[in-house]
């Protein structure tokens, strides 16, 4: 401070003709004592009467016996607790105050401390810097120690607030009382040591308290146990670590970013306790004796067994205190603010004008807040709206220099709103370069989520996510949902490829081969029927219904290709139409045929009158009506629920996505109920006609067809619904069941006819000749009649295997019209 005042007074550009002086008092780092000392600064303000207001009896001017010096501003204090008390006093008298080291955030409150400013930033920034350091080192479980008072308590409170935002947990919170004893420090170290997982300890303490904590750790022989992260009161001080180097090794400290004043070092080295220049500093002699462990007074040296101080003594390891720059900046700010006011109110007048002497403290303080200037190291200095300095910090690591074998504070990073930390330069306890851990729980592995208790985010259990879940954050597993699967790192999901039956799959090859064989066989039968359309066997089989039946069989075989194709709106629509329509064609034709046979022989047993609606045209019409019911129902279904596709994930197989038609299995089953009804009714008719004369053996083939079909369907239904989680088996079962139903009908109903047509063609022609002769003998009809005959037989069997007619209780009417060119005879 005195050095900067000398520089200002020697500079004619600043306050020309005005000499600045200083009245320096010791606060002893005690707020109550500092408040008492500060009364000296306000004494002049408290004295409201001047000597000019008095007169003497002899007419001479009155002389004031109270000698007060004009105080325009106060520089200091260093400790925040002291500054808070002094600022409260000075504000009453509007005396501006600039501190060079008080960093308490409370001092930024201008509603309480409207005349306080400082050249250093508030602890808000320092707390953020320390929290950023802890987070950068991945320390999530730390202990804290704070000094009682505004500096320590508010600083650690702000750190804890920042720590919570960064998910840093506080394992223990200790406080150093104002007047601690060694037992207090021992108790604090014991409490810290009890938290075995919390190696990092944040110190927001005064320098002497940091010293006590290190000393207690040294007594407990806890070398290397803790990682100290300390505030600026420890900073680059030698005193806390001297004699306790190994306990403090690896500590990270925060220090206000500053630059040494080169000329100040020269000035300080030239001072001696015997010189007149040093006498104005009442503490310099004490400093010298403490620094060199000597006594200036020879008598005291003998008494205390110390050496006598010498002017030749030099400090070999002197390092300028980092606060020197801020002290100089505070003095410069006060002087330059006064100079600006002088220029404004005094103009070119040399020395202190009368107007300058009446300038109030509020005017001076406003000028201080608005000032901006380069300091002695050419760094720009200014204040924000709260009177605070700019927040810039150096991060220092206390380590042993392996080359010089000397302990030193090495700069390893800076903080200017954001942290820049050089991890490679940090040396931890024991000279290790390995980053120590300070966590409550180990990090969870890949695909594991943290399970924490409410309010405690640092201690957790690791729970594995399920196979289909990914990590939304480190605490939550969430399902990827249908159609997606977690990535390898479980940090997201990927869309699964859609699965459907491939043509080269064995599940497709088997039904395709079966369907191809069926299509070729059915096509061969159709061609045979077309070529042999007018032969007796084709005519006698009811060719119109046979063509409908063959069309249904062909539809069923072709349906396998539709079911195995990649699902789309078109193929899904064809599936709905094709399956139901194919079965409807088959079983409507069979039902019409069995119904006709049943009605013919039932009528013949009761009457000789020909049953109605047995002509080919009538039969086709009846069959078409039966088929149209299925067609109308399918059309309504397509309109109500348009065909589309959907993605299906089988139960328990979340990594599988199947592309299927957008229709429920139950809905598909319901769509076949009508065909089931046709099968049941047709089976009933087949049972009724099973005992017809052996020459009408087609009814037996129909009955066998329906029995077999029922067995197939009874086996298919549980198989279809039991394989819902395996689309390949389900689809293959459906295709095979449909093809088997068609094969049974094709084999049982058309194999005997193909046998006669190709292997016994003579029987086919003989029947035709006999029918032709019968037609010629009776004109257009072969009329078999008998009068009042009961159970007579009229038998046409020239080849012993021809057509037999059994007529019971025939009367003088036609029993039936058989084997005409357009009519049907029962085989």
């Amino acid at each position: 401070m005195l050095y900067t005042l000398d520089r200002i007074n020697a500079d004619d550009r600043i306050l020309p003709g005005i000499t600045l002086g200083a009245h320096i008092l010791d606060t002893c780092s005690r707020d109550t004592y500092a408040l008492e000392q500060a009364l000296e600064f306000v004494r002049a303000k408290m004295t409201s009467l001047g000597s000019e207001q008095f007169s003497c009896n002899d007419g001479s001017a009155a002389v004031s016996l109270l000698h007060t010096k004009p105080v325009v501003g106060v520089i200091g204090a260093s400790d925040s607790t002291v500054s808070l008390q002094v600022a409260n006093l000075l504000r009453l008298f509007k005396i501006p105050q600039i501190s060079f080291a008080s960093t308490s955030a409370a001092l930024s409150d201008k509603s309480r401390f409207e005349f306080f400013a400082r050249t250093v930033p508030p602890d808000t920034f320092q707390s953020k810097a320390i929290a950023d350091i802890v987070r950068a080192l991945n320390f999530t479980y730390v202990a804290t120690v704070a000094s009682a008072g505004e500096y320590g308590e508010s600083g650690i409170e702000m750190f804890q607030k920042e720590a919570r935002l960064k998910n840093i947990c506080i394992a223990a919170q200790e406080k150093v009382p104002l007047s601690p004893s060694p037992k207090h420090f021992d108790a604090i170290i014991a409490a810290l040591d009890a938290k075995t997982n919390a190696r990092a300890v944040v110190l927001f303490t005064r320098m002497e308290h940091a010293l006590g904590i290190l000393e207690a750790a040294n007594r407990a022989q806890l070398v290397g146990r803790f990682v100290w992260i300390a505030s600026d009161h420890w900073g680059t001080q030698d005193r806390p670590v001297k004699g306790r180097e190994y306990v403090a090794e690896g500590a990270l400290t925060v220090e206000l970013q500053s630059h040494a004043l080169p000329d100040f070092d020269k000035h300080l080295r030239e001072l001696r306790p015997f010189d007149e220049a040093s006498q104005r500093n009442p503490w310099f002699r004490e400093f010298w004796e403490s620094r060199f462990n000597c006594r200036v007074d020879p008598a005291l040296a003998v008494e205390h067994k110390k050496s006598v101080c010498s002017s030749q003594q030099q400090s070999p390891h002197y390092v300028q205190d980092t606060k020197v720059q801020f002290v100089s900046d505070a003095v410069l700010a006060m002087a330059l603010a006064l100079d600006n006011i002088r220029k404004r109110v005094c103009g070119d007048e040399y020395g202190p004008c009368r107007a300058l002497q009446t300038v109030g403290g509020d005017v001076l303080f406003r000028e201080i807040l608005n000032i901006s200037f380069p300091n002695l190291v050419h760094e720009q200095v200014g204040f924000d709206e709260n009177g605070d300095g700019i927040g810039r910090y150096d991060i220092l690591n206390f380590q042993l220099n392996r080359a010089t074998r000397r302990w030193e504070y090495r700069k390893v990073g800076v903080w200017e709103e954001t942290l820049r930390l050089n991890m490679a330069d940090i040396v931890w306890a024991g000279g290790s370069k390995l980053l120590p851990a300070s966590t409550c729980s180990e990090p969870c592995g890949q695909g594991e989520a943290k399970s924490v208790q409410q309010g405690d985010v640092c201690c957790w259990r690791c729970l594995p996510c399920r196979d289909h879940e990914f990590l939304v954050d480190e605490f939550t597993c969430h399902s990827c949902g249908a159609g997606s699967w977690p990535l390898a790192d479980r940090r997201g999901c990927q869309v699964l490829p859609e699965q459907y039956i491939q043509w080269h799959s064995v599940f497709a090859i088997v039904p395709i081969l079966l369907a191809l064989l069926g299509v070729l066989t059915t096509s061969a039968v159709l061609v045979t029927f077309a070529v042999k359309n007018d032969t007796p066997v084709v005519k006698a089989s009811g060719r119109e219904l046979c063509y409908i039946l063959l069309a249904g069989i062909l539809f069923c075989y072709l349906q396998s290709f539709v079911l195995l194709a990649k699902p789309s709106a078109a193929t899904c629509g064809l599936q709905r139409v094709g399956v139901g329509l194919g079965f409807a064609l088959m079983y409507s034709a069979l039902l019409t045929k069995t119904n006709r046979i049943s009605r013919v022989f039932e009528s013949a047993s009761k009457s000789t009158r020909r049953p109605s609606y047995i002509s080919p045209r009538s039969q086709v019409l009846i069959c078409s009506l039966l088929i149209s019911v299925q067609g109308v129902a399918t059309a309504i279904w397509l309109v109500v629920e348009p065909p589309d596709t959907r993605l299906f994930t089988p139960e328990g197989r979340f990594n599988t996505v199947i592309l299927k038609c957008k229709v429920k299995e139950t809905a598909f089953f319901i769509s076949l109920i009508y065909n089931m009804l046709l099968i049941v009714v047709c089976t009933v008719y087949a049972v009724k006609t099973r005992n017809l004369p052996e020459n009408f053996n087609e009814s037996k083939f129909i009955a066998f067809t329906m029995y077999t079909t029922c067995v197939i369907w009874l086996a298919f239904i549980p198989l279809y619904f039991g394989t819902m989680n395996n689309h390949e088996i389900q689809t293959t079962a459906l295709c095979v069941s449909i093809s088997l139903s068609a094969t049974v009908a094709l084999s049982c109903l058309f194999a005997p006819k193909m046998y006669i047509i190709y292997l016994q063609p003579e029987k086919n022609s003989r029947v035709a000749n006999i029918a032709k002769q019968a037609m010629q003998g009776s004109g257009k009809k072969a009329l078999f009649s008998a009068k009042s005959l009961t159970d007579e037989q009229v038998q046409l069997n020239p080849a012993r295997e021809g057509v037999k007619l059994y007529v019971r209780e025939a009367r003088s009417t036609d029993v039936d019209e058989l084997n005409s060119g357009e009519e049907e005879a029962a085989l």
Side-chain angles (χ1 to χ4, degrees):
M1 184 182 295
L2 295 176
Y3 165 78
T4 306
L5 285 174
D6 290 343
R7 293 281 299 263
I8 293 171
N9 292 330
D11 191 345
D12 291 335
R13 295 171 299 177
I14 304 175
L15 297 173
I18 300 175
T19 300
L20 290 179
H23 182 38
I24 304 176
L25 300 174
D26 188 4
T27 65
C28 296
S29 297
R30 290 169 53 194
D31 53 354
T32 54
Y33 182 74
L35 187 63
E36 182 181 342
Q37 293 286 70
L39 291 175
E40 291 292 325
F41 298 145
V42 300
R43 193 181 296 276
K45 296 284 186 180
M46 295 172 63
T47 304
S48 59
L49 299 178
S51 59
E52 66 277 2
Q53 296 180 282
F54 297 90
S55 61
C56 298
N57 292 331
D58 57 3
S60 61
V63 178
S64 177
L65 298 178
L66 180 63
H67 299 285
T68 59
K69 299 177 181 179
V71 177
V72 296
V74 173
I75 304 298
S78 175
D79 189 88
S80 294
T81 305
V82 173
S83 290
L84 285 166
Q85 294 293 341
V86 173
N88 271 321
L89 174 64
L90 297 181
R91 65 185 287 269
L92 301 176
F93 301 93
K94 298 184 179 180
I95 299 176
Q97 177 185 359
I98 305 178
S99 173
F100 50 83
S102 297
T103 56
S104 172
L107 291 166
S108 297
D109 186 357
K110 285 294 161 280
S111 65
R112 295 174 56 197
F113 310 104
E114 60 267 39
F115 289 93
F116 179 85
R118 49 189 163 188
T119 53
V120 292
D123 285 333
T124 306
F125 298 111
Q126 185 175 194
S127 298
K128 289 181 180 179
I130 294 176
D132 286 346
I133 293 171
V134 173
R135 183 72 268 181
L137 297 175
N138 203 28
F139 293 162
T140 58
Y141 199 55
V142 301
T144 63
V145 181
S147 292
E150 182 63 30
Y151 170 77
E153 292 178 10
S154 63
I156 210 66
E157 181 181 351
M158 284 181 289
F159 165 77
Q160 291 172 356
K161 181 179 178 181
E162 292 292 327
R164 284 192 293 270
L165 296 176
K166 300 182 186 324
N167 289 332
I168 300 169
C169 296
I170 309 302
Q173 303 178 54
E174 300 297 324
K175 183 187 293 186
V176 182
L178 292 175
S179 301
S181 66
K183 289 185 179 180
H184 285 115
F185 291 117
D186 291 338
I188 290 173
I189 289 298
L192 296 179
D193 190 43
K195 300 293 183 178
T196 55
N197 289 336
R199 291 193 61 188
V201 179
V202 175
L203 299 180
F204 232 106
T205 61
R206 295 160 60 177
M207 183 270 294
E208 57 271 22
H209 291 171
L211 185 154
I213 290 170
L214 293 179
E215 183 62 36
N218 197 33
R219 285 195 298 271
Q221 298 182 351
L222 295 176
V223 175
R225 166 66 177 86
F226 301 108
V227 177
W228 311 105
I229 303 175
S231 62
D232 59 341
H233 268 229
W234 177 342
T236 57
Q237 299 281 346
D238 289 332
R239 190 178 166 198
V241 298
K242 190 173 182 179
R244 294 163 284 276
E245 290 84 358
Y246 288 99
V247 174
E249 185 179 13
L252 293 174
T253 63
V254 175
E255 183 61 276
L256 289 166
Q257 194 176 89
S258 61
H259 302 278
L261 306 182
D263 292 341
F264 177 76
D265 289 342
K266 180 182 177 182
H267 166 76
L268 189 62
R269 290 181 185 276
E270 292 176 351
L271 291 176
R272 295 293 182 271
F274 316 103
D275 299 339
E276 184 179 350
S278 64
Q279 297 303 314
R280 59 177 179 170
N281 184 348
W283 299 282
F284 186 76
R285 178 174 175 174
E286 181 182 348
F287 162 75
W288 190 275
E289 290 179 339
S290 174
R291 185 72 176 178
F292 298 106
N293 195 22
C294 64
R295 291 293 182 266
V296 175
D297 189 339
L300 291 176
V302 174
E303 180 181 347
H304 293 91
K305 298 180 181 180
K306 303 287 186 181
S307 62
V308 179
C309 297
S310 168
S311 60
Q312 303 301 318
Q313 290 171 320
Q314 293 285 341
S315 178
H317 307 305
Y318 162 73
V319 177
Q320 187 179 126
D321 192 289
T322 55
K323 301 293 192 301
V324 170
Q325 176 195 327
F326 300 109
V327 175
S328 175
D329 291 345
V331 176
L332 278 173
M334 189 74 74
L336 291 174
L338 281 171
D339 189 53
N340 287 346
I341 295 174
R342 183 198 64 80
K343 293 175 182 178
R344 191 163 56 247
V345 300
C346 297
D348 296 333
E349 185 176 346
Y350 185 80
C353 64
R354 184 175 294 273
L356 181 62
Q357 297 177 7
T358 59
V359 171
D362 52 347
V363 176
L364 176 59
F365 188 75
R366 283 196 300 269
E367 190 65 35
I368 291 172
L369 293 184
N370 294 327
I371 200 170
S372 178
F373 60 93
N375 59 14
L376 297 183
V377 292
H378 310 291
E379 187 178 70
Q380 200 67 21
V381 178
F383 303 92
D384 63 15
E385 65 276 8
N386 295 321
D388 298 328
I390 301 171
R392 291 189 293 258
Y393 297 93
D394 288 333
I395 313 302
L396 305 162
N397 177 224
F398 185 69
Q399 57 183 255
L400 178 65
N401 189 318
R402 305 299 169 179
T404 63
R405 306 303 300 174
R406 290 175 54 191
W407 295 95
E408 64 183 17
Y409 290 97
R410 183 176 181 181
K411 183 177 177 180
V412 294
V414 295
W415 189 92
E416 294 177 352
E417 294 186 357
T418 58
L419 176 67
R420 297 195 303 274
L421 195 62
N422 188 355
M423 299 291 292
D425 291 340
I426 301 177
V427 177
W428 304 104
S432 173
K433 300 289 287 186
L434 183 64
L435 177 66
S438 185
T439 57
C440 180
S441 302
E442 292 297 322
C444 290
Q446 183 173 296
E448 293 181 333
K450 296 177 181 178
S451 175
V452 300
Q453 296 180 353
Q454 187 174 3
D456 185 3
V457 297
C458 295
C459 300
W460 58 79
R461 292 184 299 114
C462 295
L463 301 178
C465 297
R466 296 181 181 177
D467 292 340
H468 62 283
E469 294 178 334
F470 73 102
L471 286 169
V472 179
D473 50 43
E474 58 183 338
F475 305 103
T476 310
C477 294
H478 195 276
S479 174
C480 284
S484 297
W485 192 253
L487 296 170
D489 61 0
R490 294 298 188 95
R491 294 296 176 184
C493 297
Q494 60 183 340
V495 178
L496 288 170
E498 300 170 352
Q499 295 187 20
Y500 51 90
I501 296 181
Q502 303 294 326
W503 293 110
H504 55 76
S505 169
V506 67
F507 294 99
I509 292 175
V510 172
I512 286 174
L513 291 176
L514 184 61
L516 282 174
L517 182 62
V519 169
L520 293 175
T521 305
T522 306
S523 300
V525 173
L526 277 171
V527 171
T528 299
F529 264 58
V531 173
K532 305 291 186 177
N533 189 59
D534 293 325
T535 61
V537 170
V538 175
K539 288 182 178 181
S541 63
R543 54 191 171 186
E544 292 80 5
L545 292 179
C546 283
Y547 284 130
I548 295 174
L549 181 59
L550 287 170
I553 292 173
L554 187 61
F555 253 91
C556 288
Y557 283 127
L558 293 175
Q559 197 60 30
S560 292
F561 297 95
V562 178
L563 290 169
L564 294 171
K566 180 180 179 180
S568 64
T571 57
C572 291
L574 288 175
Q575 287 181 22
R576 294 193 196 178
V577 174
V579 175
L581 185 59
F583 284 138
L585 287 169
M586 285 175 52
Y587 300 120
S588 294
L590 285 175
L591 177 60
T592 305
K593 186 185 286 286
T594 54
N595 174 263
R596 180 174 181 269
I597 294 173
S598 176
R599 287 192 298 116
V600 166
F601 283 94
E602 185 179 352
S603 175
S605 65
K606 297 178 181 180
S607 170
T608 60
R609 185 177 178 180
R610 175 184 176 183
S612 57
Y613 305 113
I614 61 172
S615 67
R617 185 174 299 175
S618 299
Q619 296 296 292
V620 171
L621 179 60
I622 292 172
C623 184
S624 300
L625 290 174
L626 293 174
I627 295 169
S628 65
V629 174
Q630 177 69 28
V632 171
T634 303
I636 294 173
W637 187 20
L638 292 174
V639 172
V640 173
E641 187 180 359
D644 202 352
T645 59
R646 67 185 175 96
L647 295 176
F648 170 71
T649 300
E651 184 177 354
R653 294 169 57 196
F654 297 99
N655 61 336
T656 302
V657 176
I658 302 171
L659 181 64
K660 301 183 70 174
C661 289
K662 190 178 181 180
V663 58
K664 295 181 179 180
E665 281 74 8
T666 53
F668 178 74
F669 180 75
I670 292 173
S671 70
L672 298 177
I673 288 180
Y674 177 69
N675 291 302
M676 294 179 186
L677 179 63
L678 292 178
I679 292 173
V680 170
V681 176
C682 192
T683 303
V684 171
Y685 276 113
V687 171
K688 290 177 64 176
T689 59
R690 69 186 185 281
N691 293 324
L692 289 179
E694 65 179 53
N695 282 344
F696 294 93
N697 55 7
E698 187 178 32
S699 63
K700 294 182 177 61
F701 292 133
I702 293 174
F704 183 75
T705 299
M706 300 317 300
Y707 301 155
T708 308
T709 300
C710 289
V711 171
I712 292 173
W713 277 61
L714 288 174
F716 160 72
I717 291 174
L719 179 63
Y720 181 79
F721 287 99
T723 58
M724 292 175 62
N725 279 347
N726 193 318
H727 72 291
E728 293 175 323
I729 296 178
Q730 186 183 48
T731 304
T732 301
L734 179 60
C735 292
V736 171
S737 298
I738 293 173
S739 295
L740 284 178
S741 298
T743 301
V744 167
L746 183 67
S747 301
C748 294
L749 299 178
F750 291 96
K753 297 177 178 58
M754 294 297 101
Y755 179 79
I756 292 176
I757 291 173
Y758 286 106
L759 298 180
Q760 295 181 345
E762 69 279 2
K763 293 181 180 181
N764 189 18
S765 58
R766 286 176 185 173
V767 172
N769 290 335
I770 292 173
K772 185 177 180 180
Q773 291 174 4
M775 290 173 61
Q776 290 176 351
S778 58
K780 291 185 178 180
K781 295 183 180 179
L783 177 63
F784 302 92
S785 62
K787 295 181 180 180
S788 302
L789 294 178
T790 302
D791 297 327
E792 290 188 9
Q793 297 182 356
V794 180
Q795 199 171 36
L796 296 175
N797 189 14
R800 295 179 182 270
E801 294 180 4
V803 178
K804 293 183 179 180
L805 285 178
Y806 293 84
V807 182
R808 297 170 182 260
E809 299 179 0
R811 291 182 174 83
S812 302
T813 57
D814 296 338
V815 175
D816 202 352
E817 295 179 2
L818 300 173
N819 295 331
S820 66
E822 302 298 327
E823 297 288 342
E824 171 185 337
L827 283 177

